[in-house]
Amino acid sequence: MKLPKGIGELAMNMRFPENFLWGGAVAANQCEGAYDEDGKGWSIQDVTPGGIRGPITVQPTPDNMKLVGIDFYHRYKEDIKLFAEMGFKVFRTSIAWSRIFPNGDDEIPNEKGLQFYDDLFDECLKYGIQPLVTISHYETPLNLSVKYNGWANRKLIGFYERYVRTIFERYKDKVKLWLTFNEINSVLHEPFSSGGIYTDKKQLSNQDLYQAVHHELVASALATKIAHEMIPDAKVGCMILSMPIYPLTPAPDDVMAVMAAEHKNDFFGDVQVRGRYPGYMKRYFRENGIEIQMAEGDEELLKNTVDFVSFSYYMSVCETADPAKERGPGNILGGVPNPYLSASAWGWQIDPKGLRYTLNRFYDRYQKPLFIVENGLGAVDQLVTGADGQPTVEDDYRIQYMNDHLVQVREAIEDGVDVMGYTAWGCIDLVSASTAELKKRYGFIYVDRNDDGTGSLKRYRKKSFGWYKEVIRTNGEILK
């Protein structure tokens, strides 16, 4: 069939920008290990062996997989070399706050911790890989949680400021892309893991929870202000846990339920991009007896808005006004399952078109460049012998998942959305944040470690390794 004039040309011209930042993403607490080496203090991740929803203790336990992770702390040179082989333009990682300030409230930073990230960033830059650094990625120093109740205490703003000034000064010539907090809106659902709040979430009042949110938003704005002053050529982004929400039915009550659910997440982006509290949130506070205590200058400080919006995307959910509808699992937020979608082995519904929808929605709302900093498929991978005699994983399911999502990113770019880049989550296998398992693998690189702690920690290229290498080499032209 012959296409109407112009349509074929349009399809041929649909491509990623030449400066598109292809890469991968990890978090320090899920990959580094070395939890007590070179002066590092304990973080909240060292004492939650069951993942983000696991039991909270006051000291590390031997069964916590994150204490060793994938030993990235000692093997980062080998791993960065593999990333370079794939052609990464950018590598997203985080700084473990407790490597720099072991207790969080220390006066003097830990030099060995600072040196580790110097060496890590130098290794990236050696291969032309730009570091994209998350300042706080679910790894609040444990002392700040136990002693101060985490971000529920305004004092954390000052501790965070000292930390960001220290790392900005140290890495200002090496790191030009920064994220203030990982999935900042997740604090509403996992206050300990996301906000270091030690109070049990069943006893945590909405007043205290949203006061903690305010402290984080002020800290984010302060970090943005400091970065713009100390590193004028740097760009600072916020990072949102995105999960598009569809009405389960066209019933107006279901549509209103969607709006209410979206507002709880949009609130975080609205403040960090627009610099003020939105009206719908002020109404929510009034109707729920919440009075945010603002210090003098907070409102002015919030006007220091981010340069771009980054987000994670794994799945979509539905919402309904019907309380009897069963809710399914998901990336922290969860929701009502969509009857039109299939799901991963962990029950996360697979919705590539939801990524295009999210990109358009965020760009319509904020008119800021967007960066997809987490996306991928967690699966149980089987190590087999490849045609070359080397161990590998035939992960065609991962290739299909990522191809389908990246096609939708390309569609969004054609829609006119300004997309800076894409960093595949868990580009090398790491310990799951949500379950603390290693059998839930995301990587292009297989790490020989098992949930019982056994394994050689050797690295093996999966089939998706070569596929992603070609995606990057062709700037997305092989996608179909």
Side-chain angles (χ1 to χ4, degrees):
M1 182 179 79
K2 188 175 181 181
L3 293 172
K5 187 176 180 181
I7 292 183
E9 278 182 21
L10 182 65
M12 291 294 292
N13 290 332
M14 287 174 61
R15 63 181 64 217
F16 291 82
E18 290 302 316
N19 61 348
F20 193 79
L21 293 172
W22 296 99
V26 300
N29 69 86
Q30 293 174 249
C31 69
E32 284 181 1
Y35 78 101
D36 62 350
E37 292 187 36
D38 294 332
K40 181 184 178 297
W42 294 348
S43 87
I44 58 173
Q45 290 292 343
D46 299 325
V47 298
T48 50
I52 61 173
R53 301 176 182 88
I56 300 171
T57 64
V58 291
Q59 60 183 6
T61 55
D63 62 337
N64 188 347
M65 293 292 289
K66 294 177 185 176
L67 301 185
V68 174
I70 59 166
D71 197 30
F72 182 77
Y73 189 78
H74 300 109
R75 298 168 183 256
Y76 70 89
K77 290 187 178 181
E78 173 188 357
D79 295 338
I80 298 298
K81 186 177 181 181
L82 286 167
F83 300 157
E85 184 182 334
M86 275 188 281
F88 279 20
K89 311 297 183 187
V90 64
F91 173 53
R92 179 191 173 212
T93 189
S94 62
I95 293 175
W97 189 345
S98 60
R99 283 203 193 280
I100 311 304
F101 290 97
N103 299 297
D105 58 359
D106 315 77
E107 294 287 339
I108 305 298
N110 172 34
E111 175 58 31
K112 287 185 177 179
L114 288 166
Q115 187 59 51
F116 169 72
Y117 293 105
D118 260 325
D119 295 341
L120 173 60
F121 300 148
D122 284 343
E123 196 68 17
C124 291
L125 295 170
K126 181 174 84 173
Y127 293 104
I129 299 172
Q130 186 173 177
L132 166 61
V133 176
T134 310
I135 297 168
S136 180
H137 191 134
Y138 294 169
E139 48 209 11
T140 306
L142 181 63
N143 179 62
L144 295 186
S145 177
V146 175
K147 185 176 178 181
Y148 300 94
N149 204 22
W151 283 97
N153 191 322
R154 190 179 175 93
K155 288 184 178 180
L156 260 73
I157 298 175
F159 300 140
Y160 183 82
E161 178 182 2
R162 181 184 298 161
Y163 167 49
V164 299
R165 287 188 182 277
T166 300
I167 60 176
F168 286 168
E169 179 60 36
R170 183 72 172 229
Y171 309 125
K172 61 185 178 183
D173 296 325
K174 301 178 182 182
V175 180
K176 303 299 182 180
L177 293 172
W178 298 89
L179 304 178
T180 54
F181 290 94
N182 180 67
E183 295 183 330
I184 187 170
N185 51 320
S186 64
V187 70
L188 298 181
H189 304 271
E190 298 296 338
F192 177 71
S193 296
S194 183
I197 300 171
Y198 200 69
T199 301
D200 188 286
K201 65 180 179 181
K202 293 178 182 177
Q203 277 75 53
L204 186 64
S205 69
N206 274 338
Q207 172 66 46
D208 290 342
L209 179 57
Y210 276 100
Q211 189 63 49
V213 168
H214 176 71
H215 296 154
E216 283 197 276
L217 291 171
V218 169
S220 178
L222 180 58
T224 303
K225 179 177 185 290
I226 295 168
H228 289 158
E229 292 169 352
M230 294 182 68
I231 325 173
D233 58 341
K235 300 294 184 185
V236 183
C238 59
M239 200 294 208
I240 307 294
L241 192 169
S242 80
M243 193 175 292
I245 305 170
Y246 309 139
L248 188 62
T249 75
D253 283 350
D254 280 4
V255 175
M256 295 305 290
V258 168
M259 185 180 76
E262 286 181 334
H263 277 168
K264 287 187 176 181
N265 292 314
D266 288 341
F267 158 55
F268 292 83
D270 287 356
V271 174
Q272 292 176 98
V273 175
R274 295 171 173 168
R276 62 185 184 276
Y277 275 64
Y280 62 79
M281 213 61 207
K282 292 178 181 178
R283 175 180 179 174
Y284 177 83
F285 292 157
R286 284 195 308 270
E287 294 180 350
N288 289 274
I290 298 168
E291 295 185 15
I292 301 299
Q293 302 301 311
M294 289 203 185
E296 185 177 353
D298 280 3
E299 288 184 291
E300 191 64 28
L301 194 55
L302 289 175
K303 294 177 183 178
N304 292 278
T305 55
V306 293
D307 303 300
F308 64 96
V309 175
S310 76
F311 62 93
S312 60
Y313 178 83
Y314 296 99
M315 59 176 291
S316 63
V317 294
C318 290
E319 189 54 83
T320 176
D322 182 356
K325 289 294 183 182
E326 185 177 350
R327 295 182 174 267
N331 180 25
I332 299 179
L333 303 185
V336 178
N338 189 326
Y340 295 96
L341 297 176
S342 61
S344 73
W346 272 263
W348 296 21
Q349 294 201 285
I350 298 171
D351 180 15
K353 290 182 179 178
L355 179 51
R356 178 184 178 185
Y357 171 75
T358 297
L359 286 163
N360 273 274
R361 184 174 176 275
F362 279 170
Y363 197 62
D364 288 347
R365 190 175 189 92
Y366 298 129
Q367 293 294 298
K368 293 269 189 180
L370 304 178
F371 205 137
I372 306 155
V373 294
E374 288 188 30
N375 175 243
L377 178 66
V380 178
D381 292 338
Q382 297 296 326
L383 203 61
V384 298
T385 302
D388 59 358
Q390 297 299 312
T392 189
V393 175
E394 298 289 339
D395 56 342
D396 293 283
Y397 43 87
R398 179 169 294 111
I399 291 170
Q400 189 65 58
Y401 175 99
M402 298 191 71
N403 176 88
D404 293 350
H405 283 75
L406 285 168
V407 164
Q408 295 303 318
V409 176
R410 186 176 63 193
E411 291 284 349
I413 292 170
E414 189 65 23
D415 291 334
V417 179
D418 183 357
V419 187
M420 296 170 61
Y422 173 93
T423 54
W425 176 248
C427 49
I428 181 170
D429 290 346
L430 37 68
V431 180
S432 168
S434 59
T435 63
E437 297 172 310
L438 251 165
K439 69 179 181 182
K440 184 183 183 184
R441 299 174 182 270
Y442 284 86
F444 305 118
I445 301 163
Y446 184 95
V447 177
D448 182 25
R449 189 172 187 234
N450 307 303
D451 285 348
D452 62 2
T454 60
S456 66
L457 287 167
K458 287 184 179 179
R459 274 63 165 153
Y460 302 110
R461 298 166 183 82
K462 301 179 188 178
K463 184 177 181 179
S464 57
F465 181 102
W467 173 82
Y468 195 51
K469 180 179 179 178
E470 280 300 293
V471 170
I472 297 173
R473 186 188 68 80
T474 65
N475 198 30
E477 289 186 10
I478 71 162
L479 297 170
K480 52 189 177 182

